[in-house]
């Protein structure tokens, strides 16, 4: 059973949650390869509830996600697929279309240089050709809580969100630093 195919030409929002568009397959022994999950007869569960993320709690299994994405327009469309959970140890991303395919192996258990976007979260660029049907596979495995909040973004909106996140982090660490300096100054003054 295939999950719904999402047509990006018909999306007008800044971002969209992908939970209801994903198919999921549990790999209990962590032995399945991309070729294994692409075979005919492999059953991905597709009736996932409409929520912001897939929450699998603590698990020793790996999970494969499948996502069908179409561009029915006459123009190339660029999107960014984001998985906003930095505690995933392994996130293997496979993009396949008629004329393009690539993979990105990332996660906190792999070198930071492997990330398509130098960010604490996992984000993958998608260049969807006009009148194309594309299939994305994502393999996720972690010893932490496996939570998969997958969203599809317009690139400019994703970059704006990233800037806001960085600004908020800078403000947070600035406040922490100010409190530490104030506490040290207070301690020195009280000592004398």
């Amino acid at each position: 059973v295939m999950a719904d195919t999402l047509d990006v030409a018909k999306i007008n929002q800044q971002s969209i949650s992908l939970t209801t568009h994903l198919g999921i397959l549990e790999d209990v022994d962590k032995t399945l390869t991309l070729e294994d999950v692409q075979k005919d007869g492999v059953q991905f569960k597709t009736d996932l509830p409409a929520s912001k993320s897939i929450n699998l709690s603590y698990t020793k299994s790996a999970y494969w996600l499948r996502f069908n994405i179409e561009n029915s327009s006459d123009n190339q469309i660029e999107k960014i697929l984001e998985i906003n959970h930095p505690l995933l140890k392994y996130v293997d991303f496979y993009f396949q279309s008629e004329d393009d395919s690539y993979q990105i192996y990332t996660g906190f258990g792999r070198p930071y240089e492997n990330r398509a976007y130098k960010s604490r979260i996992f984000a993958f660029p998608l260049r969807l050709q006009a009148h194309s049907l594309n299939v994305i596979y994502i393999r996720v495995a972690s010893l932490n809580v496996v939570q998969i909040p997958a969203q599809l973004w317009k690139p400019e909106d994703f970059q704006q969100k990233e800037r806001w996140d960085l600004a908020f982090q800078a403000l947070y660490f600035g406040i922490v630093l100010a409190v530490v300096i104030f506490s040290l100054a207070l301690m020195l003054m009280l000592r004398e």
Side-chain angles (χ1 to χ4, degrees):
V1 178
M2 295 287 272
D4 293 340
T5 299
L6 180 65
D7 188 352
V8 293
K10 298 176 181 171
I11 299 173
N12 293 326
Q13 300 122 283
Q14 292 178 325
S15 70
I16 182 172
S17 174
L18 297 178
T19 306
T20 57
H21 300 282
L22 295 171
I24 188 166
L25 175 70
E26 184 175 9
D27 178 5
V28 177
D29 301 324
K30 296 184 182 179
T31 56
L32 295 177
T33 63
L34 178 62
E35 291 75 26
D36 293 333
V37 300
Q38 289 176 317
K39 290 179 182 169
D40 289 338
V42 173
Q43 294 294 313
F44 278 76
K45 181 182 176 191
T46 57
D47 55 345
L48 299 174
S51 63
K52 286 196 179 243
S53 70
I54 300 170
N55 190 349
L56 302 166
S57 193
Y58 289 96
T59 178
K60 292 183 179 179
S61 300
Y63 283 88
W64 284 88
L65 304 172
R66 182 173 59 200
F67 174 49
N68 306 303
I69 187 167
E70 176 184 11
N71 177 5
S72 65
S73 76
D74 296 330
N75 303 313
Q76 174 180 292
I77 295 178
E78 294 190 12
K79 294 286 184 182
I80 295 174
L81 192 153
E82 172 198 47
I83 298 178
N84 192 350
H85 188 63
L87 298 178
L88 296 172
K89 189 165 187 178
Y90 301 111
V91 181
D92 302 342
F93 176 85
Y94 305 90
F95 177 82
Q96 299 185 323
S97 68
E98 294 99 26
D99 47 86
D100 191 17
S101 69
Y102 60 90
Q103 59 271 341
I104 299 170
Y105 302 109
T106 186
F108 81 78
R110 294 206 172 102
Y112 187 77
E113 294 79 38
N114 289 16
R115 297 184 186 203
Y117 285 90
K118 304 307 179 225
S119 173
R120 66 181 189 83
I121 52 107
F122 309 109
F124 308 97
L126 304 177
R127 184 170 288 129
L128 307 163
Q129 300 304 324
H131 303 288
S132 66
L133 181 61
N134 312 274
V135 183
I136 295 169
Y137 289 91
I138 303 171
R139 181 186 179 273
V140 175
S142 191
L143 298 173
N144 299 317
V145 171
V146 176
Q147 195 172 23
I148 308 166
Q151 284 197 286
L152 194 66
W153 286 87
K154 290 181 181 177
E156 56 277 4
D157 293 320
F158 174 78
Q159 289 157 358
Q160 180 65 37
K161 179 193 83 82
E162 281 288 286
R163 283 192 291 275
W164 278 109
D165 287 352
L166 286 173
F168 178 76
Q169 283 181 345
L171 178 65
Y172 175 80
F173 287 117
I175 291 170
V176 168
L177 184 63
V179 168
V180 167
I181 291 171
F182 176 76
S183 298
L184 286 173
L186 194 62
M187 183 183 79
L188 291 173
M189 285 175 35
L190 291 175
R191 220 179 208 181
E192 294 172 8

